[in-house]
Amino acid sequence: MDAIAHTQVSGFCLVTLAVLLRAQQKMRDKSLPGRQFTALLWFAGALTIVDYGSALAQLGAWEELGIPLTYRLNAGGSILFYLLAACCCLLVFLYVEAELGRTWMEDGRKLALSAAPVALLLLALLTARDESGFYYLDAEGLRGSTLFWEPKLVGLAYLAAAFLRCSWTLSHWKQETPKEELKTLLLLALAPAAGFLLQGWLPGRGLLCCGITLGLVCVYVLVLQTKFTVDTLTGVSNRIVALRYLESELPYYRRHPNRSLHFLMMDMDHFKHINDEYGHLEGDAALVLLAGILKKVCANYNGVLARYGGDEFCIACGCNSVEVRTLIASIQRELDAANAASGKPYQIEISIGCARLEPDIATVHDLIDKADQEMYHLKTRKHGTAPAEKQG
């Protein structure tokens, strides 16, 4: 009965992963997290195929095909299963790092450090004279040896690191919009970890594959949910989120006049020049760099960061005047540091207009328009350009 349930669970997971992989490929997501998610689906699929093969072996399907299940074949299948599981856990860790904005995949030394445990396990497998380092046979059957437990420990260590990264970020992140994503990433780390532990306690039931598949389904559902509320280029929220936030918060701040609601509108100076002189790909790179700076700074403030459109970004936050000045100064400081370190032939400059919710501001659009006018007036003072002649 356990073998039949194992086969059904593994088969269901395999079909689910195939559907997710097909849908992911149709999305043509070429971003770093998107590529890592695709790789994770492939490895999870390979892991599930091995697990499905093990389930069929329990039912005697291989013997019916004339393939004897020797001790060596059993040991090799289990070794491959847990090595693939460790690789999946590594990809979970790298995917979480990418979603949190840490580009480990683009740092060769950090990537090598992350992959070192899996590489050492593979090296131990390739250099082993026989499989006795992983398994041995006694009166009770096939038993795990020292190296057999290491892939499990390595996989759990990757998942623990991903979970701690998400937990720390969630506890320090004060914006509202990314919290659901962070909670889903926590589930992506927790579900496989639970599967790992239950697989050791209740072997032969496909619980590890089930945990990994559950985590991937939750992440993919989140991707679908955020597809219409997140800007695909920069990864920050889009205008819809900012408008919804303002519409929902305005009544509260009107009832509490002692609290302050500020709206900041930001526009990149000479963005058209960057596009015309260096190409649109370089213009996109400039927007991504600016968005990364804004995400880093705004993580410590209550509110919403969004791409309003084109080269315009906005921040809605419940800060007082002193906090807003500190926020603007922090953005400029981080931008100066990024310009100094980028090595680009151009400098990224922005103009920021700020508006506070006052009794004379009747609607959300009035608040946005006031910040917009402040931004254009600042552009005029900086570059001598009339507000009606906005330059990108």
Side-chain angles (χ1 to χ4, degrees):
M1 192 67 181
D2 286 344
I4 296 175
H6 187 184
T7 307
Q8 292 172 340
V9 169
S10 298
F12 177 76
C13 290
L14 190 58
V15 171
T16 303
L17 290 171
V19 171
L20 288 180
L21 182 60
R22 179 60 178 164
Q24 177 71 5
Q25 290 176 333
K26 283 185 176 180
M27 290 179 65
R28 302 182 185 276
D29 186 359
K30 301 299 182 183
S31 66
L32 178 60
R35 297 197 306 271
Q36 289 176 336
F37 189 74
T38 301
L40 182 52
L41 287 172
W42 278 110
F43 271 84
L47 176 71
T48 307
I49 289 173
V50 174
D51 192 53
Y52 189 65
S54 174
L56 291 177
Q58 295 178 53
L59 292 175
W62 298 123
E63 284 86 347
E64 293 178 5
L65 294 174
I67 303 175
L69 286 178
T70 63
Y71 157 67
R72 183 180 293 270
L73 187 59
N74 275 326
S78 295
I79 291 168
L80 179 60
F81 177 82
Y82 282 108
L83 281 175
L84 285 172
C87 290
C88 286
C89 294
L90 168 62
L91 288 170
V92 167
F93 172 75
L94 293 175
Y95 175 75
V96 168
E97 288 293 313
E99 286 290 358
L100 295 180
R102 304 182 180 94
T103 53
W104 279 59
M105 289 287 287
E106 297 175 2
D107 189 320
R109 285 191 292 184
K110 289 183 178 180
L111 180 59
L113 180 64
S114 300
V118 170
L120 290 174
L121 286 172
L122 183 59
L123 181 63
L125 172 63
L126 294 175
T127 56
R129 294 182 179 179
D130 54 44
E131 66 278 357
S132 60
F134 296 87
Y135 279 97
Y136 64 90
L137 200 62
D138 63 9
E140 297 182 11
L142 201 62
R143 310 280 289 182
S145 191
T146 304
L147 283 176
F148 168 73
W149 297 103
E150 291 191 7
K152 295 184 177 182
L153 295 176
V154 168
L156 287 172
Y158 283 132
L159 297 176
F163 177 81
L164 292 174
R165 286 283 202 181
C166 289
S167 298
W168 186 90
T169 305
L170 186 61
S171 64
H172 289 79
W173 197 284
K174 295 184 179 179
Q175 291 189 64
E176 293 190 359
T177 49
K179 286 188 176 180
E180 292 303 319
E181 179 180 349
L182 290 173
K183 292 175 182 177
T184 306
L185 291 177
L186 281 175
L187 183 59
L188 179 61
L190 280 175
F196 247 127
L197 297 174
L198 291 173
Q199 183 92 2
W201 184 37
L202 300 170
R205 288 173 172 81
L207 297 176
L208 175 56
C209 292
C210 189
I212 292 176
T213 303
L214 174 62
L216 292 173
V217 168
C218 291
V219 169
Y220 191 78
V221 169
L222 176 71
V223 169
L224 291 179
Q225 288 178 340
T226 59
K227 185 177 180 181
F228 303 104
T229 57
V230 175
D231 178 62
T232 55
L233 175 64
T234 61
V236 302
S237 301
N238 60 20
R239 182 192 306 198
I240 295 173
V241 177
L243 293 177
R244 286 177 180 172
Y245 176 82
L246 289 174
E247 291 285 0
S248 63
E249 292 298 312
L250 238 63
Y252 170 81
Y253 284 97
R254 291 200 187 283
R255 293 195 304 268
H256 300 83
N258 58 319
R259 306 293 298 274
S260 297
L261 175 66
H262 283 84
F263 183 80
L264 279 66
M265 181 69 80
M266 290 161 282
D267 182 270
M268 189 182 296
D269 299 340
H270 307 301
F271 181 64
K272 185 176 183 300
H273 170 73
I274 296 175
N275 274 333
D276 293 344
E277 186 72 19
Y278 305 103
H280 288 277
L281 289 178
E282 195 63 43
D284 289 347
L287 290 174
V288 171
L289 176 61
L290 177 57
I293 292 169
L294 294 175
K295 282 194 287 187
K296 179 181 178 180
V297 175
C298 293
N300 298 318
Y301 291 84
N302 291 314
V304 168
L305 162 68
R307 184 182 179 190
Y308 197 77
D311 58 326
E312 292 181 327
F313 293 84
C314 64
I315 299 173
C317 57
C319 303
N320 58 41
S321 299
V322 175
E323 290 172 330
V324 167
R325 287 195 293 269
T326 303
L327 171 62
I328 294 174
S330 298
I331 292 172
Q332 191 59 58
R333 184 172 59 252
E334 292 291 337
L335 187 58
D336 291 341
N339 282 327
S342 69
K344 301 287 187 181
Y346 57 85
Q347 297 284 294
I348 298 177
E349 299 178 2
I350 59 174
S351 297
I352 304 177
C354 179
R356 182 180 184 274
L357 180 63
E358 303 286 354
D360 61 329
I361 295 179
T363 66
V364 166
H365 294 287
D366 291 339
L367 181 65
I368 295 173
D369 186 59
K370 184 176 179 180
D372 215 29
Q373 291 180 17
E374 290 292 328
M375 180 185 69
Y376 289 151
H377 291 154
L378 177 59
K379 274 184 172 288
T380 302
R381 294 193 296 271
K382 288 169 64 176
H383 308 295
T385 304
E389 299 172 349
K390 178 194 172 187
Q391 293 181 351

